[in-house]
Amino acid sequence: MYRPVLDAVGGSLLLTALTAMLPLLALFVMLGVFRVTAWKAAIVSLVVSIVVAILAYSMPAGQAVMSGVEGAVFGFFPILWIVINAIWIYNMTVVTGHFDVLRRSFAKVSDDQRIQAVIVAFCFGALLEALAGFGTPVAITSVMLIALGFRPLKAAVVALVANTAPVAFGALAVPITTLSSVSNIPQDTLGAIVGRQTPVLALFVPMALVFIIDKGKGVRATLPATVVCGISFALAQFVTSNYLSVQLSDIVASLFSAACVVLLMRVWTPSTAFVDTSEEEEVAVTSAGTALGAGSGATVRTDEPVGDNLGLDDIQARDAAAHDSPAEVARAYAPYLVIIAVFVITQLPGVKDLFDAPTVKFQWPGLDLATPTGDPSTIPTFKFNWLGAAGTLLIISGLISMPIIGISPARAFRAYLDTYKQLVGAIVTVMAVLGLAYVMNASGETASLGAWMAGAGAAFAVISPILGWLGVAVTGSDTSSNSLFGALQVQAAHKTGLSPALMAAANSSGGVLGKMVSPQNLAIAAAAVGMSGREGDVFRKVLKWSLLFLAFMCVLVYLQTTPVLSWMLAGTGG
């Protein structure tokens, strides 16, 4: 049995922690400085972590390699299993034209661009984040905003800033699932705590979007809409994550907030509709295929581009001439409603037991691990819940949706195969990053870093969200950040006397604010609006929002460790 020694290098915790940093430094430098492709950087970093485990920690080579293999398999199932099947459903709606119908239905709610931004970028973007994540919401909502008449730079900035509050529960709560796995803290506990942090952030994001579009006067003019949107989203995200289903948190919150805004528009509208007339450079919409094919590989390319290679005027003229029947609009929304129904039904008593019955738990071959304290490690235990997994439920939802949206089995199967081709870079990246995380956790590299960082004492509560922010800013993924730093947060929390669950949750909540400044998402947004090569312009616009919200989250988490706001965590188990 292998047992990690935290001061394995020369009997010094500092030297050991610095050595344990090498895999993370390799990943960060390759991505952030040398701009190496994400999948290549992840593979190299995985190899570095294995070398460090063998040479610095004296971990048996076979166990070091097998822990990486287990992490890579976990990266595919259940994580990528969710992403692939969610994007498959989206691709089917594009192939059938129902995505265009959905976009046009949003435009009819209001002719005010400030309201459109709230509905499209925040509400619908949150729904896309809930179902797919990994850059998909930024790409799709950027294209939609351009088609609605937004200036390119403003569309990119709005889409990036909007993609914050929903991220922790994105891709059916994959970041939370991953965090639970690497931290050994129940998923429901982590979801409940995150559900008492990001909803506070959600209260202000709609106002921030309007400020970006029309400054302070716009915020005042649209205050009823932004307040209703923020409160309804925050309330739904809190209630769902704490009392219903962690996986459904963003789906319920996005649909509920959108419905509240739509209902508000029937009894109230801004006194003057706003349409941007600033002298910003016009960039034609090329196609959603270009927009969704950009970035780090964790992206989507559609068979039938939303823009169809048309310019902005052509798209708007086509939309103006289109007359979607109520039945077509209903079919456009149907796949998302089917997903909700399937997930709700499978959580019912009896039904849930039926879907969980085939679940198999087994010890990963070749792994015999202990924790630094000598207790048996839970890392080698692999849970294969093939029927009850969220990705499998998405396949069931897709099969039910097929006859509703009118796609033949042959076209649906082609779309499914194309989805794998589109995501090949993302698949390699996520599997390598999870392999890296498992090696670092099994070898003790993460534990050494946590023990060293615990020297910050109570101030670690402020550092915790910053670590999550840094991880997402570099990797572009809250899932990757949680897999890298989740166990480290727990180790540091134990040493400082802070709540391990709170610190682990803070990693995810702080991480969502790094999404808008990550190189991958900047590239996706810039490409979506035809500004490839001008990512620096977008970065300068979003950086201040990222840092402002991060400072807010650091204060919130710190106060949650004190009597001032500790009451917010009552009943979470954290």
Side-chain angles (χ1 to χ4, degrees):
M1 178 178 286
Y2 169 75
R3 177 179 175 180
V5 177
L6 301 189
D7 57 353
V9 180
S12 169
L13 180 60
L14 174 60
L15 289 178
T16 309
L18 293 176
T19 303
M21 282 184 188
L22 292 177
L24 298 178
L25 286 175
L27 180 64
F28 292 167
V29 170
M30 281 188 287
L31 284 175
V33 179
F34 296 108
R35 299 179 183 247
V36 176
T37 305
W39 68 267
K40 294 178 181 178
I43 290 177
V44 171
S45 301
L46 171 59
V47 172
V48 172
S49 70
I50 293 174
V51 171
V52 169
I54 296 171
L55 298 183
Y57 284 82
S58 301
M59 186 179 191
Q63 296 216 50
V65 172
M66 289 309 294
S67 60
V69 172
E70 183 190 5
V73 172
F74 179 79
F76 185 85
F77 185 94
I79 295 175
L80 286 165
W81 187 235
I82 296 172
V83 177
I84 291 166
N85 296 321
I87 293 178
W88 167 58
I89 293 175
Y90 159 75
N91 280 348
M92 287 196 296
T93 67
V94 174
V95 168
T96 59
H98 287 94
F99 176 75
D100 277 337
V101 177
L102 191 68
R103 175 171 53 82
R104 286 192 290 267
S105 74
F106 289 146
K108 292 176 181 177
V109 174
S110 174
D111 58 356
D112 190 308
Q113 287 187 339
R114 299 166 300 191
I115 305 299
Q116 291 172 349
V118 170
I119 295 175
V120 173
F122 186 74
C123 299
F124 186 62
L127 181 60
L128 293 173
E129 182 66 39
L131 299 177
F134 292 90
T136 305
V138 171
I140 295 175
T141 58
S142 294
V143 173
M144 293 177 71
L145 290 174
I146 286 284
L148 290 171
F150 280 72
R151 307 292 176 170
L153 180 58
K154 195 164 288 185
V157 173
V158 167
L160 284 165
V161 174
N163 191 220
T164 49
V167 169
F169 296 101
L172 296 174
V174 162
I176 303 295
T177 302
T178 304
L179 185 60
S180 174
S181 173
V182 300
S183 66
N184 201 29
I185 296 173
Q187 165 181 297
D188 290 341
T189 298
L190 293 170
I193 296 176
V194 174
R196 303 184 188 206
Q197 294 171 340
T198 56
V200 182
L201 180 69
L203 294 172
F204 304 101
V205 173
M207 297 181 195
L209 301 182
V210 173
F211 186 89
I212 292 168
I213 297 168
D214 193 24
K215 305 302 180 186
K217 63 179 181 180
V219 174
R220 293 189 294 273
T222 60
L223 200 58
T226 54
V227 168
V228 166
C229 181
I231 291 178
S232 59
F233 186 94
L235 183 62
Q237 192 182 59
F238 162 70
V239 171
T240 307
S241 62
N242 277 265
Y243 306 111
L244 299 177
S245 168
V246 174
Q247 286 82 3
L248 291 177
S249 298
D250 277 350
I251 295 179
V252 174
S254 59
L255 293 177
F256 182 65
S257 61
C260 288
V261 174
V262 170
L263 290 174
L264 176 66
M265 290 300 103
R266 297 194 173 187
V267 298
W268 173 91
T269 56
S271 57
T272 304
F274 175 84
V275 177
D276 191 7
T277 57
S278 62
E279 296 298 321
E280 185 182 300
E281 179 183 356
E282 285 281 5
V283 180
V285 178
T286 54
S287 72
T290 301
L292 303 181
S296 61
T299 51
V300 191
R301 177 180 54 80
T302 63
D303 292 333
E304 196 170 299
V306 175
D308 295 331
N309 294 316
L310 301 176
L312 175 60
D313 292 339
D314 296 319
I315 293 173
Q316 292 176 332
R318 186 187 64 182
D319 285 350
H323 297 287
D324 301 315
S325 68
E328 281 299 306
V329 174
R331 279 192 286 270
Y333 283 91
Y336 306 105
L337 298 177
V338 168
I339 290 171
I340 295 173
V342 167
F343 274 82
V344 169
I345 291 172
T346 54
Q347 294 300 311
L348 296 176
V351 180
K352 180 176 173 53
D353 295 336
L354 181 66
F355 274 76
D356 287 342
T359 297
V360 177
K361 286 186 178 181
F362 61 91
Q363 293 299 109
W364 196 262
L367 287 183
D368 190 9
L369 306 175
T371 66
T373 60
D375 298 321
S377 173
T378 59
I379 291 175
T381 303
F382 192 89
K383 180 181 178 181
F384 185 53
N385 57 330
W386 63 272
L387 183 59
T392 305
L393 299 183
L394 282 171
I395 287 185
I396 295 172
S397 302
L399 293 174
I400 295 173
S401 300
M402 282 168 52
I404 299 175
I405 62 177
I407 185 171
S408 67
R411 292 181 76 193
F413 184 67
R414 284 198 301 272
Y416 193 72
L417 294 180
D418 286 343
T419 301
Y420 275 88
K421 295 176 184 177
Q422 295 158 10
L423 294 175
V424 75
I427 290 171
V428 175
T429 301
V430 173
M431 291 180 70
V433 169
L434 265 296
L436 164 66
Y438 267 62
V439 172
M440 292 189 66
N441 293 342
S443 65
E445 296 167 40
T446 300
S448 294
L449 284 170
W452 175 64
M453 295 185 68
F460 184 75
V462 177
I463 299 173
S464 181
I466 298 175
L467 274 177
W469 178 90
L470 179 64
V472 176
V474 174
T475 67
S477 164
D478 200 38
T479 298
S480 297
S481 177
N482 286 346
S483 67
L484 289 174
F485 295 138
L488 185 154
Q489 298 272 14
V490 171
Q491 293 289 337
H494 280 303
K495 296 290 184 180
T496 57
L498 297 169
S499 165
L502 175 58
M503 294 302 98
N507 191 85
S508 195
S509 297
V512 306
L513 304 170
K515 191 93 167 178
M516 68 180 86
V517 295
S518 69
Q520 293 90 326
N521 281 283
L522 288 170
I524 291 170
V529 299
M531 294 178 63
S532 293
R534 292 180 56 190
E535 288 83 2
D537 294 341
V538 182
F539 174 76
R540 285 189 288 274
K541 292 285 188 180
V542 299
L543 179 60
K544 60 185 178 183
W545 292 103
S546 180
L547 295 178
L548 176 65
F549 284 138
L550 176 62
F552 173 82
M553 186 59 66
C554 287
V555 172
L556 176 64
V557 171
Y558 175 74
L559 292 178
Q560 286 181 330
T561 67
T562 71
V564 177
L565 291 182
S566 59
W567 54 268
M568 290 183 67
L569 305 179
T572 62

